[in-house]
Amino acid sequence: MSKFPITTQGYDKLVKEIKHLKSVERPQIIQAIATAREFGDLSENAEYHSAREKQSFTEGRIIELEDKMARAEVIDITKLNGNTIKFGATVKLVDNDTEEEHLYRIVGEYEADINKKLISIASPMARAIIGKSVGDVVEVTTPRGLKSYEILEVSYENFSI
């Protein structure tokens, strides 16, 4: 059983999803199955089969999330500091070709969401900048080819994008 890093916000999201699945989704599915059984012959009952399929998916998701919770190594990034990039860092970069600035936070794989500027610790960008400091230039292989970035800022403060 291998541990994986997750921020406190990511862990809270995990707990919230499990709670929702158990307290809202599961009872709704049980009710849908009970209602579908009242329609009679289960072998040709589409509502029953649909509800059972949803139940199977939901129970599988609960098991998956509980496994993640058991293996999670929660890291409180507010207690981190320094100028070197590591898990939990918020990093401001500038693309050396376009001069476009980017802001990312390095998080665990479960909580990564590029639309919210949360990148996985396993992503090519995170792997390239881990261990680097302000002023360092890194090269990252992206789907569009090799890109060069300069690190402008590193912080370990909570943020919302």
Side-chain angles (χ1 to χ4, degrees), residues 14-69:
L14 191 65
V15 169
K16 185 178 177 181
E17 184 177 352
I18 290 174
K19 189 179 284 187
H20 175 77
L21 289 171
K22 287 182 172 181
S23 65
V24 177
E25 295 290 326
R26 189 183 268 167
Q28 287 176 351
I29 293 168
I30 291 169
Q31 181 59 45
I33 290 171
T35 301
R37 281 186 178 177
E38 295 173 2
F39 295 143
D41 185 11
L42 297 181
S43 65
E44 296 181 18
N45 188 328
E47 290 86 1
Y48 175 78
H49 292 290
S50 175
R52 290 297 303 228
E53 187 175 312
K54 187 171 182 179
Q55 180 184 40
S56 176
F57 173 80
T58 300
E59 294 303 321
R61 181 71 176 152
I62 289 169
I63 291 168
E64 176 188 354
L65 294 175
E66 286 176 339
D67 174 64
K68 286 184 188 292
M69 280 182 61

Side-chain angles (χ1 to χ4, degrees), residues 58 74 85 90 104 150:
T58 300
V74 182
I85 300 170
T90 299
Y104 298 112
E150 181 179 349

Side-chain angles (χ1 to χ4, degrees), residues 36 70 79 82 89 127 147:
K79 295 185 174 149
R127 288 195 315 260
K147 300 285 282 179

